Amino acid sequence: DAQSAVTFEAAHIQLDTSSDRPSGEYKNGRLIIHNHSLRSLIGAAYHVPNINIQGPGWLDDVRFDISAKTEQAVTEEASRAMLQTFLSEQLKLEIHREEKAQSAYSMVLANGGLKVHEAPSDTEKITNCSVMKRGELICPSVSLESFAKLLGSFVGDESPVRDGTGLKGQYEIHLNWKEGSSGPTLFDALQEQLGLKLQGRKLHIEYIVVDHVERVPLDQ
């Protein structure tokens, strides 16, 4: 069945030398990734922020297009497992995981509770977030686990953020904040708009360490 399959039904990868803006979507069982760095592909496959991937410096320099097909009912976890298998087959990717205790933020419910709605369950849903402009995030359908990890790119001191709510499900999130003095800070906006807050903690943060990877796909 769809959950036990760990390979795409069909997939193709090629080097991208365009200067296009990176893009990606997953809907109706089709995964389209355009002009993403190898680092961000590894991050997507193993669900860790790019900053928590250690490997050769050129991980940011080589960029790829991927088109792949899955059954429509596949979960986010299963599609990640398929991407791991695909990178291992096509780029001979080998990794190991390490954990480090470090200062981080835990994203928890603020007083008054969660102010976001669950996303409509729709097989066409897109499970990524778009950075519209500095200080605006739009996520049509995202887990709080993924959303928390994304916030680590924006907190300012680059401390990791991890979900501490324990809530499952996919949520529709739209967040606006101001970088600088005029308007709500990220911390204020989270609380006022989403009913979430960030608390400083020592957390065990997972790192992906790349032991081996090729720069050119097998089928090139």
Side-chain angles (χ1 to χ4, degrees), residues 191-206:
Q191 202 150 339
E192 291 161 13
Q193 297 167 29
L194 308 183
L196 295 164
K197 63 181 180 180
L198 300 183
Q199 293 182 331
R201 291 261 199 281
K202 264 274 198 289
L203 295 176
H204 287 278
I205 300 299
E206 183 181 65

Side-chain angles (χ1 to χ4, degrees), residues 119-120 125-130 138-142 170-173:
K125 69 189 176 188
I126 299 170
T127 55
N128 59 357
C129 291
S130 305
I138 291 184
C139 310
S141 176
V142 69
Q170 299 285 122
Y171 294 89
E172 201 171 338
I173 290 177

Side-chain angles (χ1 to χ4, degrees), residues 41-48 80 84-85 87 93 95 97 149 206 208:
L41 291 177
I42 295 169
Y46 288 94
H47 205 202
V48 300
R80 282 202 195 96
Q84 290 173 20
T85 302
L87 293 176
L93 176 65
I95 62 105
R97 301 167 192 263
K149 288 178 177 179
E206 183 181 65
I208 295 294

